[in-house]
Amino acid sequence: MKRLAALALVLAACAGTAHADTFSISPALPPAGVPNLPGTIALPVSWTAPPAQPQQLDYAQLQGIWQRAGTTYGVPWQVLAAIDKVESNFGRNMGPSSAGAIGWMQFMPSTWLRWGTDANGDGVADPWNAEDAIFSAARYLAASGASHDIYGAVFSYNHADWYVREVLDLARLYGQDTTIAFSLDKLQVQLEQAQKDVVAASDRLVAAEKVARAYGKRQRAWLVRARREQLLSDRLSDEQRAGELAAVRHGALVRVGRARAALASAQRLLTAAQARSQAAAFNPAAGMVLQAPNYSSASGGYVFPVGGGPGIVSAAHTHHDYPAVDIAAPEGSPEYALADSTVERAWRYPDPACGIGMTVRAFDGQVWTYCHMAVLDPAVVPGATLEAGQAVGLVGHTGDASGPHLHLQLQPPIEWPQREAWFQSYAGTAFSWQDAPTPVRGLASSSSQPVNGGGPVFAVVGEPTPAQAPAAPPAQAPVVLFNR
């Protein structure tokens, strides 16, 4: 019953989608229930590597493919659109992924050999071609039971509860209005570009400041040396050298000023993009795409400090050498105040170890330090008060960091942040665990496997096994529509 309810919720939101008893498959396309036999499909040369010129389509072209594929195989087209968005961001990030998934719909090569389809009739089944990939995904979902169990079919695509919820929430949202998918995508593109511009401007400022500081240090060294000289000629020579360095440092400081102005301009544009996105992020699915702060009723007043959701944000139960947590996320992802708090310290020039960061005292008295940030928000200054969920900066890798992440620790670092109840309450909704299964919340377990021995399109390390697959999505939350 729960699975039928899940299907009804999606189909009700996706008006106009063909039902299972009304679709027909073109004789030129393979049926859903039978996978490809070995060697029966033609593949492009070097088909597992991205083409030199990846295919990009406009929104009208994409919607036409989603709708034709959905009608052909009896899958709500909005589900195909949501998978396309989650997997490759509408073709902007087609891999290969770290797991080896490729193309528009991120198939593993072994799965593509079984379910890849030549939908455009050019003689090859190409995962880097949108039409072939989307029709193949529709075929795979239909083979996995999409006509009667859409939740289980999406779970077979990726064995992760958070993934199914994100896809079905997006599908319901897209079902409200055919323009929502593209309006939301444009907002995301604008927001991510603004984030990239701020990160780049911050990098240039840090580099300019580093040069100016180096010249200043050398100038002071020559002045100190001049004061110690016994001979007037030597003193004058040292002072002349210091003067030359002062002139060079002045030029470097001019460049620092320009870089600082450019960063301020980029931050203003980011603030405007965040404001445009904020109105759209009230719906949970839209908020996930737009990396909005994540709130949990079980968090005790704490907000998860990194936006993006469990598809791209992750953490481990341990830290490499002392109590702390490294929250991995793409460079430029938004960081938020984790609670109502007061800023005790903030530094914009990278510390050798911590990089750019801040220390805040939360409402409950706990003191938290953020490290390795790409940039701090201008409002983050000592003595400032922050609200839970307020934007404070962007994820970076400044200081002693091997990659982009937020290093979060208590002061003093005697307790593990990821062992606190508020942190764990966000597992599966704001982040996924790197080193253990991410728990399935509030859902009954059952079996959910694709037919004909087809396996997941790509494996998720540490996620529930098929035997632990959830039986139905949580109750549908009220949908709040948005405008651009």
Side-chain angles (χ1 to χ4, degrees), residues 239-265:
E239 290 175 347
Q240 180 180 4
R241 183 59 178 150
E244 292 170 352
L245 288 169
V248 176
R249 178 172 176 264
H250 174 74
L253 288 174
V254 169
R255 291 189 289 275
V256 168
R258 291 172 181 166
R260 187 171 288 119
L263 175 58
S265 176

Side-chain angles (χ1 to χ4, degrees), residues 51-146:
Q53 303 257 334
Q55 181 191 30
Q56 293 295 314
L57 301 179
D58 62 34
Y59 295 139
Q61 291 171 310
L62 279 175
Q63 185 167 340
I65 297 173
W66 297 330
Q67 290 175 334
R68 292 197 306 275
T71 299
T72 297
Y73 286 106
V75 178
W77 72 261
Q78 291 88 347
V79 172
L80 296 173
I83 291 176
D84 197 350
K85 178 66 178 176
V86 173
E87 293 293 355
S88 72
N89 201 14
F90 296 160
R92 299 189 193 95
N93 184 19
M94 293 192 282
S97 72
S98 59
I102 56 175
W104 274 84
M105 303 298 271
Q106 290 292 280
F107 278 87
M108 288 296 286
S110 59
T111 309
W112 182 260
L113 292 174
R114 292 176 61 80
W115 299 101
T117 305
D118 174 21
N120 62 3
D122 65 356
V124 295
D126 184 0
W128 308 94
N129 176 272
E131 194 163 1
D132 288 359
I134 293 169
F135 269 78
S136 299
R139 179 185 173 200
Y140 182 90
L141 290 168
S144 299

Side-chain angles (χ1 to χ4, degrees), residues 58 73 76 81 100 153-156 212 250 271-272 294 359 403 413 419 424 426 454-455 480:
D58 62 34
Y73 286 106
V154 176
F155 189 90
S156 76
H250 174 74
T271 298
N294 198 308
T359 296
R419 294 179 183 173
Q424 295 184 3
Y426 286 107
V480 180

